[in-house]
Structures are given as structure tokens and as C-alpha cells.
Amino acid sequence: MLVWLHVILLHLNRHCLPIASVPTEQSTFGPEWIREALIYIDQHLEIDLDLQYLSKRVAVSPAHFSRVFKNLVGVNVTEYITVKRILLAKELLLNFDEKISTIAFQCGFKAMPHFYRTFKKHTSMTPSEYRKKNS
């Protein structure tokens, strides 16, 4: 019985409540749960984020989350998170004199080789080269 109540409430939350709310300029970009997920990703880049975790957080199936996310954002969840982390790393490298390893961990990278490889893939230079070239 509790499961059916949950299903009904979930349906109401996803399909009925947004219709009743006053439309805003922001509300034209997909369902509310996508906006919540994007905000959550931006605010929590330092933690381990993946499709399973994010889909559970916004109460949709991983397959649905992935499909809708890619249709609206244009890239898959993993690539989006990686790009956001690299953008944050670039900002931190230029604005703070922290060690590169500290910055990598602040951006959610758990292993330095992975950080270097990913950073170089997206910027065509290592983090130290990027810092030197752009300081």
C-alpha cells in the first residue's frame, strides 16, 4: 500500500505540480528535477557523482535520467561532470597558489594520473603548463 502511495505522489510531483505553478523564464528548460540535478552537480563537484547517485537523488530511473539529460544538455552525465570539474580546476589553478594535487582533489578527482590525463585531454596541456601559460 505504501508503494502505491509513493507512486501516486511521485506522479503528482512530476506531472501535476509544474502545471499549477506560474511559468518563469527558467522553467522552459526541461523538468524541475533536471534543474535540481544541474544545480546539485555544480555545488558538489568535489564528491563522487555518478548516474546512479544523481538519478536516485531526484527520484527517477537511471535510464530515464540519462536519456532526458543527454537530450536537454547535449552530453552524457559523466562528460558534463568532467567538463565542469575541468572548468573549476582551470579557475582554481589561475586564482590560487594551491598545489595541483590539492586542486585536483577539490575538483573531485581521486587519482592524480586520472586528473592529469583528463586535464590534458580537455586543454591540450598539463595543469602546470596551463598555470604557467595563463598566469
Side-chain angles (χ1 to χ4, degrees):
M1 191 61 143
L2 188 58
V3 171
W4 284 110
L5 177 62
H6 180 71
V7 169
I8 292 168
L9 291 174
L10 192 58
H11 177 78
L12 288 172
N13 186 37
R14 287 190 191 149
H15 301 289
C16 298
L17 293 179
I19 294 170
S21 66
V22 177
T24 64
E25 186 176 319
Q26 283 186 333
S27 68
T28 60
F29 181 74
E32 179 66 28
W33 60 264
I34 280 287
R35 288 188 296 280
E36 290 173 16
L38 291 170
I39 291 167
Y40 187 83
I41 290 168
D42 283 351
Q43 294 174 348
H44 297 90
L45 288 171
E46 75 283 355
I47 67 171
D48 192 20
L49 298 170
D50 62 16
L51 177 61
Q52 297 287 8
Y53 177 79
L54 292 168
S55 63
K56 188 174 184 179
R57 181 159 178 68
V58 296
V60 298
S61 74
H64 183 66
F65 185 100
S66 180
R67 186 175 44 257
V68 173
F69 191 94
K70 183 156 187 173
N71 285 339
L72 291 175
V73 179
V75 295
N76 67 41
V77 177
T78 305
E79 184 63 20
Y80 179 82
I81 292 168
T82 300
V83 169
K84 295 296 279 185
R85 285 178 171 160
I86 294 299
L87 290 172
L88 177 59
K90 288 167 68 174
E91 181 182 330
L92 294 176
L93 284 166
L94 295 180
N95 295 317
F96 297 97
D97 288 332
E98 295 287 333
K99 290 180 174 180
I100 292 174
S101 60
T102 303
I103 289 173
F105 292 122
Q106 288 174 339
C107 296
F109 291 94
K110 304 299 180 225
M112 288 305 296
H114 177 62
F115 173 65
Y116 273 91
R117 196 170 36 254
T118 306
F119 193 92
K120 189 161 187 169
K121 176 183 170 192
H122 287 271
T123 64
S124 300
M125 58 184 89
T126 66
S128 55
E129 290 171 341
Y130 180 83
R131 182 179 260 173
K132 286 177 190 171
K133 184 177 182 182
N134 294 294
S135 333

